mmCIF file of all heavy atoms in Angstrom:
data_model
loop_
_atom_site.group_PDB
_atom_site.id
_atom_site.type_symbol
_atom_site.label_atom_id
_atom_site.label_comp_id
_atom_site.label_asym_id
_atom_site.label_seq_id
_atom_site.Cartn_x
_atom_site.Cartn_y
_atom_site.Cartn_z
ATOM 1 N N SER C 279 -16.690 -13.358 -0.365
ATOM 2 C CA SER C 279 -15.861 -12.188 -0.615
ATOM 3 C C SER C 279 -14.677 -12.580 -1.484
ATOM 4 O O SER C 279 -13.999 -13.570 -1.213
ATOM 5 C CB SER C 279 -15.367 -11.591 0.711
ATOM 6 O OG SER C 279 -14.526 -10.491 0.472
ATOM 7 N N ILE C 280 -14.462 -11.802 -2.553
ATOM 8 C CA ILE C 280 -13.324 -12.013 -3.443
ATOM 9 C C ILE C 280 -12.561 -10.706 -3.516
ATOM 10 O O ILE C 280 -13.153 -9.642 -3.639
ATOM 11 C CB ILE C 280 -13.782 -12.426 -4.859
ATOM 12 C CG1 ILE C 280 -14.548 -13.749 -4.797
ATOM 13 C CG2 ILE C 280 -12.589 -12.553 -5.805
ATOM 14 C CD1 ILE C 280 -15.166 -14.155 -6.118
ATOM 15 N N SER C 281 -11.240 -10.777 -3.439
ATOM 16 C CA SER C 281 -10.452 -9.547 -3.528
ATOM 17 C C SER C 281 -9.161 -9.822 -4.282
ATOM 18 O O SER C 281 -8.702 -10.955 -4.362
ATOM 19 C CB SER C 281 -10.133 -9.001 -2.129
ATOM 20 O OG SER C 281 -9.317 -9.908 -1.417
ATOM 21 N N PHE C 282 -8.600 -8.741 -4.843
ATOM 22 C CA PHE C 282 -7.320 -8.831 -5.531
ATOM 23 C C PHE C 282 -6.291 -8.074 -4.708
ATOM 24 O O PHE C 282 -6.609 -7.104 -4.019
ATOM 25 C CB PHE C 282 -7.423 -8.224 -6.930
ATOM 26 C CG PHE C 282 -8.351 -8.986 -7.840
ATOM 27 C CD1 PHE C 282 -9.674 -8.597 -7.976
ATOM 28 C CD2 PHE C 282 -7.902 -10.097 -8.531
ATOM 29 C CE1 PHE C 282 -10.540 -9.298 -8.811
ATOM 30 C CE2 PHE C 282 -8.755 -10.806 -9.370
ATOM 31 C CZ PHE C 282 -10.075 -10.402 -9.501
ATOM 32 N N SER C 283 -5.047 -8.496 -4.779
ATOM 33 C CA SER C 283 -3.994 -7.852 -3.992
ATOM 34 C C SER C 283 -3.767 -6.423 -4.463
ATOM 35 O O SER C 283 -4.104 -6.056 -5.585
ATOM 36 C CB SER C 283 -2.692 -8.647 -4.120
ATOM 37 O OG SER C 283 -2.273 -8.673 -5.475
ATOM 38 N N GLY C 284 -3.170 -5.613 -3.597
ATOM 39 C CA GLY C 284 -2.855 -4.241 -3.962
ATOM 40 C C GLY C 284 -4.027 -3.291 -3.854
ATOM 41 O O GLY C 284 -4.082 -2.295 -4.564
ATOM 42 N N GLY C 285 -4.982 -3.599 -2.972
ATOM 43 C CA GLY C 285 -6.178 -2.760 -2.891
ATOM 44 C C GLY C 285 -6.093 -1.624 -1.905
ATOM 45 O O GLY C 285 -7.059 -0.894 -1.725
ATOM 46 N N GLY C 286 -4.952 -1.444 -1.223
ATOM 47 C CA GLY C 286 -4.843 -0.398 -0.217
ATOM 48 C C GLY C 286 -4.464 0.955 -0.803
ATOM 49 O O GLY C 286 -4.404 1.143 -2.013
ATOM 50 N N LYS C 287 -4.200 1.903 0.084
ATOM 51 C CA LYS C 287 -3.832 3.261 -0.344
ATOM 52 C C LYS C 287 -2.433 3.265 -0.951
ATOM 53 O O LYS C 287 -1.557 2.508 -0.530
ATOM 54 C CB LYS C 287 -3.870 4.208 0.852
ATOM 55 C CG LYS C 287 -5.244 4.358 1.480
ATOM 56 C CD LYS C 287 -5.184 5.257 2.713
ATOM 57 C CE LYS C 287 -6.554 5.371 3.372
ATOM 58 N NZ LYS C 287 -6.496 6.205 4.599
ATOM 59 N N LYS C 288 -2.247 4.165 -1.930
ATOM 60 C CA LYS C 288 -0.942 4.302 -2.580
ATOM 61 C C LYS C 288 -0.544 5.779 -2.549
ATOM 62 O O LYS C 288 -1.288 6.631 -3.020
ATOM 63 C CB LYS C 288 -0.998 3.788 -4.018
ATOM 64 C CG LYS C 288 -1.297 2.298 -4.124
ATOM 65 C CD LYS C 288 -1.416 1.864 -5.570
ATOM 66 C CE LYS C 288 -1.556 0.344 -5.690
ATOM 67 N NZ LYS C 288 -2.812 -0.158 -5.125
ATOM 68 N N TYR C 289 0.621 6.046 -1.984
ATOM 69 C CA TYR C 289 1.103 7.414 -1.825
ATOM 70 C C TYR C 289 2.416 7.587 -2.569
ATOM 71 O O TYR C 289 3.326 6.755 -2.449
ATOM 72 C CB TYR C 289 1.296 7.715 -0.334
ATOM 73 C CG TYR C 289 1.991 9.025 -0.033
ATOM 74 C CD1 TYR C 289 1.291 10.224 0.009
ATOM 75 C CD2 TYR C 289 3.367 9.051 0.223
ATOM 76 C CE1 TYR C 289 1.928 11.422 0.295
ATOM 77 C CE2 TYR C 289 4.011 10.239 0.506
ATOM 78 C CZ TYR C 289 3.288 11.425 0.545
ATOM 79 O OH TYR C 289 3.930 12.608 0.821
ATOM 80 N N LEU C 290 2.525 8.675 -3.346
ATOM 81 C CA LEU C 290 3.767 8.990 -4.057
ATOM 82 C C LEU C 290 4.205 10.404 -3.715
ATOM 83 O O LEU C 290 3.365 11.305 -3.579
ATOM 84 C CB LEU C 290 3.572 8.897 -5.576
ATOM 85 C CG LEU C 290 3.137 7.564 -6.186
ATOM 86 C CD1 LEU C 290 3.038 7.697 -7.702
ATOM 87 C CD2 LEU C 290 4.094 6.449 -5.825
ATOM 88 N N ASN C 291 5.511 10.592 -3.589
ATOM 89 C CA ASN C 291 6.058 11.920 -3.326
ATOM 90 C C ASN C 291 7.273 12.112 -4.240
ATOM 91 O O ASN C 291 8.318 11.495 -4.025
ATOM 92 C CB ASN C 291 6.465 12.055 -1.854
ATOM 93 C CG ASN C 291 6.802 13.492 -1.480
ATOM 94 O OD1 ASN C 291 7.515 14.186 -2.206
ATOM 95 N ND2 ASN C 291 6.296 13.930 -0.340
ATOM 96 N N VAL C 292 7.114 12.942 -5.284
ATOM 97 C CA VAL C 292 8.209 13.116 -6.249
ATOM 98 C C VAL C 292 9.307 14.027 -5.703
ATOM 99 O O VAL C 292 10.438 13.997 -6.197
ATOM 100 C CB VAL C 292 7.679 13.684 -7.586
ATOM 101 C CG1 VAL C 292 6.771 12.677 -8.261
ATOM 102 C CG2 VAL C 292 6.943 15.009 -7.396
ATOM 103 N N LYS C 293 8.988 14.803 -4.681
ATOM 104 C CA LYS C 293 9.996 15.661 -4.067
ATOM 105 C C LYS C 293 10.941 14.834 -3.195
ATOM 106 O O LYS C 293 12.175 14.962 -3.288
ATOM 107 C CB LYS C 293 9.332 16.750 -3.218
ATOM 108 C CG LYS C 293 10.308 17.743 -2.613
ATOM 109 C CD LYS C 293 9.567 18.801 -1.796
ATOM 110 C CE LYS C 293 10.537 19.785 -1.154
ATOM 111 N NZ LYS C 293 9.827 20.805 -0.335
ATOM 112 N N ASP C 294 10.364 13.988 -2.352
ATOM 113 C CA ASP C 294 11.169 13.108 -1.498
ATOM 114 C C ASP C 294 11.588 11.826 -2.213
ATOM 115 O O ASP C 294 12.371 11.032 -1.673
ATOM 116 C CB ASP C 294 10.383 12.741 -0.239
ATOM 117 C CG ASP C 294 10.088 13.964 0.625
ATOM 118 O OD1 ASP C 294 10.812 14.964 0.472
ATOM 119 O OD2 ASP C 294 9.136 13.909 1.427
ATOM 120 N N LYS C 295 11.007 11.597 -3.384
ATOM 121 C CA LYS C 295 11.332 10.423 -4.225
ATOM 122 C C LYS C 295 11.094 9.108 -3.491
ATOM 123 O O LYS C 295 11.963 8.232 -3.442
ATOM 124 C CB LYS C 295 12.776 10.510 -4.734
ATOM 125 C CG LYS C 295 13.019 11.706 -5.643
ATOM 126 C CD LYS C 295 14.433 11.731 -6.168
ATOM 127 C CE LYS C 295 14.635 12.933 -7.099
ATOM 128 N NZ LYS C 295 16.016 13.022 -7.618
ATOM 129 N N ASN C 296 9.891 8.977 -2.924
ATOM 130 C CA ASN C 296 9.546 7.714 -2.276
ATOM 131 C C ASN C 296 8.063 7.395 -2.480
ATOM 132 O O ASN C 296 7.267 8.260 -2.824
ATOM 133 C CB ASN C 296 9.884 7.748 -0.786
ATOM 134 C CG ASN C 296 8.910 8.596 0.008
ATOM 135 O OD1 ASN C 296 8.466 9.643 -0.444
ATOM 136 N ND2 ASN C 296 8.561 8.141 1.195
ATOM 137 N N SER C 297 7.736 6.122 -2.284
ATOM 138 C CA SER C 297 6.347 5.674 -2.380
ATOM 139 C C SER C 297 6.014 4.829 -1.162
ATOM 140 O O SER C 297 6.879 4.125 -0.625
ATOM 141 C CB SER C 297 6.121 4.865 -3.660
ATOM 142 O OG SER C 297 6.783 3.619 -3.589
ATOM 143 N N ILE C 298 4.760 4.904 -0.734
ATOM 144 C CA ILE C 298 4.279 4.108 0.398
ATOM 145 C C ILE C 298 2.958 3.471 -0.022
ATOM 146 O O ILE C 298 2.015 4.163 -0.399
ATOM 147 C CB ILE C 298 4.058 4.972 1.665
ATOM 148 C CG1 ILE C 298 5.346 5.698 2.050
ATOM 149 C CG2 ILE C 298 3.569 4.098 2.819
ATOM 150 C CD1 ILE C 298 5.167 6.676 3.210
ATOM 151 N N VAL C 299 2.910 2.149 0.032
ATOM 152 C CA VAL C 299 1.706 1.419 -0.353
ATOM 153 C C VAL C 299 1.176 0.659 0.854
ATOM 154 O O VAL C 299 1.926 -0.035 1.546
ATOM 155 C CB VAL C 299 1.995 0.428 -1.502
ATOM 156 C CG1 VAL C 299 0.749 -0.397 -1.824
ATOM 157 C CG2 VAL C 299 2.474 1.177 -2.738
ATOM 158 N N GLU C 300 -0.112 0.798 1.103
ATOM 159 C CA GLU C 300 -0.764 0.111 2.210
ATOM 160 C C GLU C 300 -1.324 -1.214 1.696
ATOM 161 O O GLU C 300 -2.072 -1.239 0.728
ATOM 162 C CB GLU C 300 -1.900 0.998 2.736
ATOM 163 C CG GLU C 300 -2.612 0.486 3.962
ATOM 164 C CD GLU C 300 -3.746 1.423 4.359
ATOM 165 O OE1 GLU C 300 -4.814 1.341 3.719
ATOM 166 O OE2 GLU C 300 -3.565 2.248 5.262
ATOM 167 N N ASP C 301 -0.950 -2.309 2.339
ATOM 168 C CA ASP C 301 -1.454 -3.620 1.919
ATOM 169 C C ASP C 301 -1.561 -4.520 3.143
ATOM 170 O O ASP C 301 -1.111 -4.158 4.237
ATOM 171 C CB ASP C 301 -0.518 -4.238 0.867
ATOM 172 C CG ASP C 301 -1.277 -5.109 -0.127
ATOM 173 O OD1 ASP C 301 -2.329 -5.661 0.248
ATOM 174 O OD2 ASP C 301 -0.812 -5.242 -1.272
ATOM 175 N N GLU C 302 -2.165 -5.696 2.955
ATOM 176 C CA GLU C 302 -2.311 -6.605 4.091
ATOM 177 C C GLU C 302 -2.205 -8.048 3.639
ATOM 178 O O GLU C 302 -2.415 -8.376 2.474
ATOM 179 C CB GLU C 302 -3.646 -6.361 4.809
ATOM 180 C CG GLU C 302 -4.886 -6.483 3.945
ATOM 181 C CD GLU C 302 -5.478 -7.874 3.938
ATOM 182 O OE1 GLU C 302 -5.221 -8.644 4.894
ATOM 183 O OE2 GLU C 302 -6.188 -8.206 2.974
ATOM 184 N N ILE C 303 -1.833 -8.910 4.583
ATOM 185 C CA ILE C 303 -1.738 -10.342 4.326
ATOM 186 C C ILE C 303 -2.580 -11.052 5.370
ATOM 187 O O ILE C 303 -2.212 -11.091 6.546
ATOM 188 C CB ILE C 303 -0.276 -10.840 4.383
ATOM 189 C CG1 ILE C 303 0.577 -10.134 3.325
ATOM 190 C CG2 ILE C 303 -0.222 -12.356 4.185
ATOM 191 C CD1 ILE C 303 2.057 -10.473 3.396
ATOM 192 N N PHE C 304 -3.735 -11.545 4.943
ATOM 193 C CA PHE C 304 -4.662 -12.234 5.835
ATOM 194 C C PHE C 304 -4.905 -11.458 7.129
ATOM 195 O O PHE C 304 -4.808 -11.992 8.234
ATOM 196 C CB PHE C 304 -4.163 -13.648 6.137
ATOM 197 C CG PHE C 304 -4.102 -14.521 4.909
ATOM 198 C CD1 PHE C 304 -2.886 -14.847 4.341
ATOM 199 C CD2 PHE C 304 -5.263 -14.992 4.315
ATOM 200 C CE1 PHE C 304 -2.824 -15.647 3.198
ATOM 201 C CE2 PHE C 304 -5.203 -15.782 3.173
ATOM 202 C CZ PHE C 304 -3.993 -16.112 2.616
ATOM 203 N N GLY C 305 -5.187 -10.158 6.977
ATOM 204 C CA GLY C 305 -5.568 -9.335 8.127
ATOM 205 C C GLY C 305 -4.436 -8.553 8.761
ATOM 206 O O GLY C 305 -4.691 -7.594 9.490
ATOM 207 N N LYS C 306 -3.182 -8.925 8.515
ATOM 208 C CA LYS C 306 -2.062 -8.175 9.081
ATOM 209 C C LYS C 306 -1.664 -7.050 8.131
ATOM 210 O O LYS C 306 -1.454 -7.275 6.937
ATOM 211 C CB LYS C 306 -0.859 -9.082 9.341
ATOM 212 C CG LYS C 306 0.297 -8.336 10.003
ATOM 213 C CD LYS C 306 1.444 -9.239 10.394
ATOM 214 C CE LYS C 306 2.567 -8.440 11.048
ATOM 215 N NZ LYS C 306 3.708 -9.273 11.454
ATOM 216 N N GLU C 307 -1.562 -5.820 8.678
ATOM 217 C CA GLU C 307 -1.302 -4.650 7.849
ATOM 218 C C GLU C 307 0.191 -4.387 7.664
ATOM 219 O O GLU C 307 0.985 -4.566 8.581
ATOM 220 C CB GLU C 307 -1.961 -3.412 8.471
ATOM 221 C CG GLU C 307 -3.480 -3.513 8.534
ATOM 222 C CD GLU C 307 -4.104 -2.334 9.240
ATOM 223 O OE1 GLU C 307 -3.574 -1.913 10.292
ATOM 224 O OE2 GLU C 307 -5.140 -1.824 8.764
ATOM 225 N N PHE C 308 0.522 -3.942 6.448
ATOM 226 C CA PHE C 308 1.905 -3.624 6.112
ATOM 227 C C PHE C 308 1.960 -2.295 5.361
ATOM 228 O O PHE C 308 1.004 -1.891 4.700
ATOM 229 C CB PHE C 308 2.518 -4.712 5.224
ATOM 230 C CG PHE C 308 2.740 -6.027 5.915
ATOM 231 C CD1 PHE C 308 1.733 -6.986 5.933
ATOM 232 C CD2 PHE C 308 3.946 -6.305 6.532
ATOM 233 C CE1 PHE C 308 1.930 -8.203 6.562
ATOM 234 C CE2 PHE C 308 4.162 -7.525 7.168
ATOM 235 C CZ PHE C 308 3.146 -8.473 7.178
#
């Protein structure tokens, strides 16, 4: 298995002016 970082969900809200990105480090979710 080969993967590149930044493969999780990406959420943007221009009204609230924030972003939330789902990512993980060796199985731990952030």
Side-chain angles (χ1 to χ4, degrees):
S279 178
I280 298 174
S281 64
F282 295 95
S283 61
K287 297 177 182 178
K288 296 177 173 66
Y289 171 84
L290 300 181
N291 190 315
V292 294
K293 184 179 179 181
D294 296 339
K295 297 182 179 179
N296 74 321
S297 70
I298 303 174
V299 176
E300 185 182 79
D301 212 332
E302 57 91 22
I303 299 175
F304 297 107
K306 183 174 180 180
E307 297 176 317
F308 291 89

